[in-house]
Amino acid sequence: MAAFIVSLLTYRALKGTAFRLFPFFLLFIVATELIGTYMTYILRLRNNSWLFNITTTLEYIFYAHIFSLTLRDPAFKTMARRFMAIYPMVVLLNLLFVQGFTEFHSYTVVLGSLFMIILCCLFFYELLLNPLEGELRKVPMFWISTGILFFHLGDLSFDLLFNLLKNDATGKEFFSSINNNLILILYSCFIIAFLCQRSLVKSLSH
């Protein structure tokens, strides 16, 4: 919610950049979390995996879209775009023939997380090849990539063990606490990125 509010407050600076869709994406995430909470605690539904199967798939596609706009190497851009086209089909095949729509698609989430890590590494690789003249901490995409990298590196362990831990209350609670901290890191990095973008626009206008 905080990241969404900051994206709205800084939207003027985000317009015309690779980050212009962030407010809409974050609104979608907030709405999904509220709906998921309502389904679980108010409607008392036992299974809302289908909702988060949709959300996580669109989340990976969105992040890949950001990288397709910000990576410099044409081959890296093409890789991100191909992922955007192929990944939804892989998820659908998994839901149809492997894990089913009522189960969380942990297999394809692992695939998505691995690809997000690869895209982040490609971004940092390009930074090494083309050092910036200014301060790295003021670069919005640096913070976006850092948040995505840390989140998916940490979350990958849960994704890999999901099928073993989904019926273990203690294990689920432990990894849930880890996930909450990773979410805090992810959206804090997004907030910093939005503020950096606003500062960048202000400095260019003077």
Side-chain angles (χ1 to χ4, degrees):
M1 182 67 78
F4 169 62
I5 292 172
V6 174
S7 72
L8 289 180
L9 295 175
T10 59
Y11 185 64
R12 184 174 297 179
L14 301 179
K15 286 195 303 183
T17 73
F19 316 124
R20 62 186 176 274
L21 295 179
F22 254 107
F24 306 100
F25 167 72
L26 293 173
L27 176 61
F28 168 72
I29 295 296
V30 170
T32 299
E33 293 292 342
L34 291 176
I35 292 171
T37 300
Y38 179 79
M39 292 171 64
T40 301
Y41 295 102
I42 305 299
L43 299 181
R44 302 290 183 180
L45 297 178
R46 293 183 178 182
N47 192 320
N48 59 8
S49 294
W50 63 269
L51 177 65
F52 292 98
N53 288 342
I54 296 172
T55 305
T56 49
T57 301
L58 294 176
E59 184 177 350
Y60 290 130
I61 293 172
F62 176 78
Y63 291 151
H65 171 68
I66 297 297
F67 281 106
S68 74
L69 297 176
T70 52
L71 289 169
R72 298 183 180 183
D73 191 301
F76 297 164
K77 287 178 173 288
T78 300
M79 185 187 302
R81 292 185 184 121
R82 285 179 178 173
F83 172 82
M84 293 169 61
I86 295 172
Y87 184 70
M89 293 186 286
V90 175
V91 171
L92 183 60
L93 290 173
N94 178 39
L95 296 177
L96 285 172
F97 302 111
V98 183
Q99 292 189 279
F101 287 93
T102 59
E103 292 290 328
F104 183 65
H105 67 132
S106 56
Y107 298 158
T108 37
V109 163
V110 168
L111 177 63
S113 293
L114 285 172
F115 205 84
M116 292 304 104
I117 293 169
I118 291 171
L119 289 176
C120 290
C121 290
L122 291 177
F123 172 77
F124 289 119
Y125 172 71
E126 289 191 338
L127 280 182
L128 291 175
L129 292 181
N130 304 282
L132 300 170
E133 295 181 2
E135 296 180 73
L136 188 60
R137 63 184 179 86
K138 295 182 179 180
V139 177
M141 193 58 196
F142 166 76
W143 290 105
I144 298 284
S145 299
T146 298
I148 293 174
L149 179 62
F150 273 101
F151 177 81
H152 288 98
L153 279 173
D155 204 49
L156 189 60
S157 60
F158 176 74
D159 296 334
L160 289 170
L161 297 172
F162 179 80
N163 289 309
L164 295 176
L165 296 171
K166 63 182 179 180
N167 296 319
D168 181 359
T170 303
K172 285 179 68 176
E173 183 178 350
F174 173 71
F175 279 99
S176 178
S177 65
I178 293 177
N179 183 259
N180 289 336
N181 287 310
L182 291 171
I183 288 173
L184 180 62
I185 293 172
L186 176 67
Y187 290 112
S188 294
C189 286
F190 285 176
I191 289 172
I192 296 171
F194 301 152
L195 295 176
C196 286
Q197 181 62 34
R198 185 174 66 176
S199 297
L200 181 62
V201 170
K202 284 185 177 179
S203 64
L204 292 174
S205 63
H206 291 308

